[in-house]
Amino acid sequence: MALREPLRRPRGTHTAHPAHQADPHRQTVRDIVERLKDVPGALLPILHAVQDALGHVPADAVADIAQGLDLSRAEVHGVITYYPHFRSAPAGRRVLQICRAEACQAMGAEPLWAQACARLGLPDAGGTARDGAFTLEPVYCLGLCATSPALRLDEHVHARLTPARLDALLAASEAAA
């Protein structure tokens, strides 16, 4: 019985699907991969840099990242889907992250989550509002356990939340938008 050759293509021989060639962000992804590919453990820094540059890690970027690091697309996709930080679609203009770790749950984070879902017109799982104004997503520990429940709105953290404080934060955010 003859041994089969591995299914991996030799480096640099990847042929992109025609739909990938029209992606306006493709050169950005390639530049990031080229700049960071020699960093030890390069995959995570590359994924962070792509998300920082584009606001998410597009599905079309997976092939270029995999090729640049000599990984399979499945390996790259597995890392993207393992870490909840990485987004596969752009976030809303404002990002609301409510802590759902144990200390915050014990102090009332679940009712705040339900309140935010209802106020933003989102399903129980959160997500991005149809108008693109907000993305609601869980976060597992903001390091404010002693002052829980806590949330992060964009880059600002807020603790000791109450339903009234959450309403005030959302109202101020909507007014500012």
Side-chain angles (χ1 to χ4, degrees):
M1 176 187 242
L3 293 176
R4 296 181 68 186
E5 289 294 317
L7 295 177
R8 244 185 214 179
R9 295 177 188 218
R11 190 174 214 158
T13 62
H14 174 75
T15 304
H17 185 278
H20 298 178
Q21 295 169 354
D23 182 0
H25 303 298
R26 191 154 193 228
Q27 191 58 48
T28 301
V29 172
R30 286 179 169 178
D31 291 346
I32 290 168
V33 170
E34 185 59 33
R35 186 178 78 242
L36 298 174
K37 70 182 180 183
D38 295 322
V39 170
L43 181 55
L44 284 175
I46 288 170
L47 293 174
H48 280 285
V50 169
Q51 183 156 297
D52 289 347
L54 304 178
H56 68 295
V57 181
D60 291 347
V62 171
D64 287 328
I65 295 169
Q67 177 187 357
L69 296 177
D70 197 25
L71 299 171
S72 72
R73 289 181 298 220
E75 289 170 301
V76 175
H77 177 75
V79 171
I80 293 168
T81 57
Y82 177 79
Y83 291 103
H85 170 76
F86 297 118
R87 294 185 181 93
S88 59
R93 291 182 297 281
R94 310 292 308 265
V95 176
L96 175 63
Q97 297 176 314
I98 297 180
C99 181
R100 300 190 77 187
E102 291 80 3
C104 286
Q105 283 183 33
M107 297 302 290
E110 290 306 310
L112 292 173
W113 177 269
Q115 176 184 348
C117 288
R119 169 106 187 219
L120 300 173
L122 295 170
D124 291 342
T128 300
R130 289 183 188 196
D131 65 1
F134 280 92
T135 292
L136 174 63
E137 56 191 24
V139 65
Y140 295 92
C141 197
L142 292 168
L144 299 170
C145 301
T147 57
S148 60
L151 67 75
R152 179 172 34 221
L153 180 57
D154 298 326
E155 298 302 318
H156 303 284
V157 294
H158 302 271
R160 293 192 172 99
L161 289 169
T162 63
R165 284 198 64 214
L166 177 59
D167 272 339
L169 282 170
L170 292 174
S173 294
E174 291 166 346

